[in-house]
Amino acid sequence: MLSQQQRNEIIELMKREVVPAMGCTEPVAVALCAARASEILGSRPERITVELSANILKNAMGVGIPGTGMIGLPIAVALGALIGKSSYQLEVLRDVTPEAVAEARKMIDDRLIEIRLKQGISEKLYIEVTTEGSGHTARVVIAGDHTSIILEQKDDTLLKDMCHNTEQCGDVKEVELTLRKVWDFAMTTPLDELRFILESRRLNKAIAEQSFTGQFGHSVGRTLHCPRQRSMMGDSPFSRILSYTSAACDARMAGAAIPVMSNSGSGNQGIAATLPVVVYAEEIYASEEQTIRALVLSHLTVIYIKQSLGRLSALCGCVVAATGSACGLCYLMGGDYQQIAATTKNMIANLTGMICDGAKPSCSMKVTSGVSTAMISAMMAMEGHCVTSVEGIIDDDVDKSIRNLTTIGHDGMNETDRLILEIMTGK
């Protein structure tokens, strides 16, 4: 049994990592940085310089910006500087209006924004924005986390300098997790301490249902939801899990001005951790307690894996998020801890190596692949089937299997990451 202090630390961790976000979190984080730099400057910027790590650049190039009908970084930077409020955090662009978009377009047309790759850093999540205007300059740096502002400077005066070495940044105490601790927390914590997770159900289901009514991105979810495709795939819990999850991703990647509940800095991860569990829980008429515990198990598993993987990598986030939802699904099927561990191993054996080539509309296809594998992995575990330690990167110890996955994603795929960015920027 976990102590009250341990439970409180995990709850604090979850409330820090499972938060609302509007729009893809990479360009939104850049907009947040621009908003704060503009606030510090105290006047309308006459010039904005943005320097980014390769992973931020990759993930922000091809995604829609909420309320604009446009894609990419320039419009996010301009809007952040013009109307963004840093106090809104990952909802920094929620006050966008057509007038603001027109003003931002003019800023772009006047070539007042320069965006470039930051050289000489190894931090995968790094954003630096410098604004100039009225004879002053302001500089803001975000590193390590999408909302972690580590440096603020106006002219030659440092207003905040949390750390000089971004790789050592982080003023938040790390909570040490194992899959067993994740399971124990989700199963034994008093229900009233966990009800906050139901907000993820409300937000992420709402964006999926909105997506069914329109044309967003590649309309993967709407395609799977339409009568013609249902006649091929059947009207089943499995097909509804796929359609709801991909529909939410469709709308988000297309720039719908609808908030989602993110996980570990990613809206798609939040969607993939939430909707398979929510849809299946409704299908089997799960109790509120079962739904809450399944959602907590899913979201906390994602947080646990991301602790060693890092915020951004060349490994697609759906691998991690779908592993969380696979655990939630297995629990709803009646699974115990051993079956949850088997489900996790089945997921790692299947999807490891799926690349992240930036945030974009086709992410909904990858999310669909991830959650379909989640259902299969959970069903296999419930039937007593688990990938063994003589196969590939799977270890008898499930936590070691997770570390094998994250080592590949964090360290082994660095060259893959470089080549992906080279291909994307060379087109």
Side-chain angles (χ1 to χ4, degrees):
M1 178 73 71
L2 298 175
S3 68
Q4 183 65 54
Q5 180 179 346
Q6 288 175 310
R7 294 207 309 269
N8 289 344
E9 289 175 351
I10 294 173
I11 289 169
E12 181 183 351
L13 171 66
M14 290 194 69
K15 289 183 176 179
R16 195 166 65 236
E17 298 288 11
V18 182
V19 297
M22 183 178 292
C24 177
T25 47
E26 276 70 58
V28 166
V30 178
L32 172 63
C33 198
R36 185 61 189 138
S38 185
E39 290 167 354
I40 293 171
L41 185 67
S43 63
R44 178 190 170 96
E46 298 165 8
R47 181 171 179 78
I48 304 174
T49 303
V50 181
E51 295 183 282
L52 306 170
S53 61
N55 285 81
I56 289 288
L57 194 61
K58 177 185 75 174
N59 279 5
M61 289 173 61
V63 69
I65 306 303
T68 70
M70 299 174 66
I71 64 170
L73 280 166
I75 188 66
V77 172
L79 284 171
L82 291 171
I83 56 91
K85 292 182 175 64
S86 63
S87 61
Y88 290 172
Q89 296 286 283
L90 292 180
E91 295 181 280
V92 63
L93 298 181
R94 72 185 187 198
D95 290 340
V96 169
T97 64
E99 293 76 20
V101 173
E103 192 175 355
R105 284 176 180 269
K106 186 175 188 307
M107 180 177 277
I108 296 168
D109 293 341
D110 291 343
R111 300 184 180 277
L112 303 183
I113 300 171
E114 180 183 1
I115 300 171
R116 59 192 182 217
L117 184 67
K118 179 72 174 180
Q119 302 294 335
I121 61 165
S122 56
E123 170 61 58
K124 294 186 178 183
L125 198 164
Y126 183 92
I127 304 164
E128 182 175 335
V129 176
T130 302
T131 53
E132 303 172 41
S134 302
H136 296 281
T137 64
R139 183 165 72 102
V140 174
V141 174
I142 288 176
D145 183 275
H146 292 78
T147 60
S148 177
I149 296 176
I150 66 165
L151 184 143
E152 295 178 350
Q153 180 178 351
K154 184 168 184 180
D155 297 327
D156 295 327
T157 302
L158 277 174
L159 307 176
K160 176 191 284 189
D161 188 6
M162 287 174 56
C163 48
H164 298 287
N165 181 352
T166 59
E167 292 188 359
Q168 297 176 355
C169 287
D171 61 340
V172 178
K173 179 182 176 182
E174 189 71 53
V175 178
E176 292 187 6
L177 295 173
T178 63
L179 191 64
R180 181 82 219 198
K181 185 181 286 188
V182 168
W183 168 262
D184 289 344
F185 174 83
M187 295 302 111
T188 64
T189 300
L191 211 58
D192 285 344
E193 297 179 24
L194 302 177
R195 290 187 189 280
F196 68 90
I197 203 65
L198 289 176
E199 183 68 1
S200 68
R201 176 178 67 179
R202 185 185 72 82
L203 287 180
N204 293 346
K205 190 176 179 185
I207 193 172
E209 291 176 342
Q210 181 68 29
S211 184
F212 291 140
T213 67
Q215 295 286 348
F216 295 95
H218 297 299
S219 295
V220 178
R222 187 171 178 176
T223 298
L224 295 173
H225 196 65
C226 72
R228 182 173 60 184
Q229 301 307 324
R230 283 189 175 187
S231 69
M232 297 176 62
M233 295 184 62
D235 187 8
S236 66
F238 182 65
S239 65
R240 283 192 285 278
I241 284 172
L242 297 186
S243 63
Y244 267 80
T245 309
S246 55
C249 185
D250 283 328
R252 180 174 175 268
M253 291 289 94
I258 307 170
V260 304
M261 190 64 80
S262 67
N263 183 305
S264 302
S266 167
N268 283 350
Q269 287 172 184
I271 287 167
T274 302
L275 286 174
V277 173
V278 167
V279 173
Y280 188 69
E282 291 177 352
E283 290 291 331
I284 65 170
Y285 300 99
S287 67
E288 182 181 67
E289 178 174 357
Q290 289 172 317
T291 302
I292 289 172
R293 296 198 185 283
L295 282 170
V296 169
L297 177 61
S298 177
H299 277 280
L300 191 55
T301 299
V302 177
I303 293 167
Y304 166 42
I305 300 174
K306 290 291 287 186
Q307 283 183 332
S308 54
L309 179 61
R311 278 292 194 264
L312 302 174
S313 75
L315 187 66
C316 177
C318 84
V319 174
V320 174
T323 300
S325 60
C327 293
L329 291 168
C330 183
Y331 161 73
L332 290 173
M333 293 175 186
D336 58 18
Y337 173 72
Q338 294 304 323
Q339 289 162 320
I340 297 298
T343 297
T344 302
K345 292 180 185 180
N346 291 342
M347 286 294 296
I348 294 170
N350 192 327
L351 285 180
T352 298
M354 181 182 285
I355 65 168
C356 171
D357 52 345
K360 59 206 176 301
S362 59
C363 284
S364 58
M365 298 172 68
K366 292 187 177 183
V367 168
T368 305
S369 296
V371 298
S372 64
T373 302
M375 180 61 90
I376 293 168
S377 295
M379 290 190 298
M380 286 177 59
M382 291 303 295
E383 293 297 320
H385 301 295
C386 177
V387 177
T388 67
S389 61
V390 299
E391 302 174 68
I393 66 171
I394 300 304
D395 192 274
D396 287 329
D397 182 341
V398 66
D399 295 295
K400 183 63 164 61
S401 297
I402 289 171
R403 288 193 293 275
N404 291 342
L405 163 72
T406 59
T407 298
I408 289 170
H410 186 272
D411 301 324
M413 296 177 73
N414 283 334
E415 179 63 12
T416 301
D417 225 4
R418 188 192 66 78
L419 285 172
I420 289 169
L421 184 64
E422 183 179 303
I423 292 168
M424 290 174 64
T425 57
K427 291 191 290 184

